[in-house]
Amino acid sequence: MPTPPEPSVLYPDVAACGSLAAAVRAEPDGCLGAVPVTSPDFDPLGHAAVASTLPHRKPLTVSAWARERRWSIRGEEAFQDMALIDGRTDDLAQVARAARAWHDGAPLDDIRQAASFVHLTGRFEVPDNDPARLTESEWQGMRREAAELEYAWRETYRNLIEAAHADPVLRALYPFTSHWALRFSTTTRPQLTVVGPCLSANSDGTYGVGRGFITQDLGEFPTAREAVAAAVHHLPPELAPVTLGG
């Protein structure tokens, strides 16, 4: 693989400012002014962080790509470190506008309006860390992700997520995925407590249910609805409501 160019070659304007933080702050459309923006000493041209006035938001991270002139952003909530927004653009002015809106505590939809490249992950903010709302937010994010996939197996996977969400027993559990296998927890992140079987969407359009990770020892089914029913059947009885993990 060819060696990527030096950052100062891809980003001469950033290099002239001394850091990505300084370059973002210098964008006139961003109106960042005295907003805290920092870059790490180990890679000042490649990374920046923009603090938020909201305690339940982590600083917005900005990262420069190594092989082409482009930036990525990621804005996480503070309790689980899960992304609320992300996006990529070659327009640093757009980055600055998104950073200002994130810092000011603008609603997520308004950040998207301020900077058109911003992508909403589907998760919503839960300032009080209510576990039921965090669970609902994670389901919404998972459904958004499944709807936006571009892989060949996206329909099979989306059917699995939607069928699981439609079941009230599974919907009450905290969902998470590992290698696109659907699993459940009785606690939220950051410390998950795995419960019940693992559901997988197979490349041939069938669905597997197993006790272990991506196993099918509990059966292979032609429809997502049947797989979900099997998973519910093998759940422990009388599950308590989801609690905070950690």
Side-chain angles (χ1 to χ4, degrees):
M1 181 178 294
T3 302
E6 289 294 322
S8 59
V9 174
L10 279 179
Y11 306 100
D13 49 339
V14 176
C17 290
S19 69
L20 182 53
V24 171
R25 189 183 289 112
E27 285 293 330
D29 289 348
C31 302
L32 285 166
V35 169
V37 187
T38 59
S39 284
D41 292 338
F42 69 86
D43 189 6
L45 303 186
H47 299 280
V50 184
S52 174
T53 56
L54 298 180
H56 59 271
R57 286 183 182 177
K58 295 183 69 177
L60 183 78
T61 58
V62 184
S63 302
W65 291 26
R67 296 184 180 276
E68 62 179 286
R69 184 182 169 87
R70 192 175 294 266
W71 294 274
S72 297
I73 68 163
R74 181 179 173 91
E76 298 177 345
E77 48 84 27
F79 182 72
Q80 303 180 108
D81 299 340
M82 300 301 288
L84 301 169
I85 64 170
D86 53 28
R88 54 190 183 183
T89 180
D90 60 3
D91 186 348
L92 195 58
Q94 286 259 332
V95 172
R97 287 195 288 272
R100 180 74 212 206
W102 178 264
H103 169 269
D104 289 350
L108 301 179
D109 286 336
D110 289 357
I111 300 175
R112 175 69 174 80
Q113 292 180 13
S116 59
F117 80 97
V118 171
H119 168 254
L120 304 182
T121 65
R123 297 184 184 93
F124 52 82
E125 295 185 277
V126 186
D128 62 354
N129 295 329
D130 176 74
R133 292 283 288 163
L134 288 173
T135 298
E136 183 183 351
S137 173
E138 197 60 25
W139 272 113
Q140 183 168 296
M142 187 172 290
R143 296 175 73 198
R144 171 75 62 85
E145 178 187 49
E148 294 175 347
L149 285 176
E150 297 181 355
Y151 299 112
W153 43 264
R154 63 185 180 274
E155 183 176 354
T156 306
Y157 179 75
R158 184 167 60 247
N159 289 342
L160 176 62
I161 298 301
E162 290 298 329
H165 180 262
D167 185 277
V169 176
L170 294 185
R171 188 169 63 246
L173 295 172
Y174 187 92
F176 69 100
T177 57
S178 179
H179 295 79
W180 303 110
L182 178 60
R183 310 197 75 178
F184 306 95
S185 173
T186 54
T187 56
T188 69
R189 289 181 176 88
Q191 294 179 354
L192 298 171
T193 305
V194 180
V195 64
C198 176
L199 286 155
S200 56
N202 301 326
S203 59
D204 62 359
T206 61
Y207 301 87
V209 182
R211 294 183 180 88
F213 176 59
I214 315 184
T215 63
Q216 301 187 83
D217 59 300
L218 296 178
E220 182 177 322
F221 302 88
T223 69
R225 182 177 297 179
E226 291 172 280
V228 164
V232 172
H233 178 72
H234 286 92
L235 283 172
E238 299 181 3
L239 287 170
V242 170
T243 58
L244 293 180

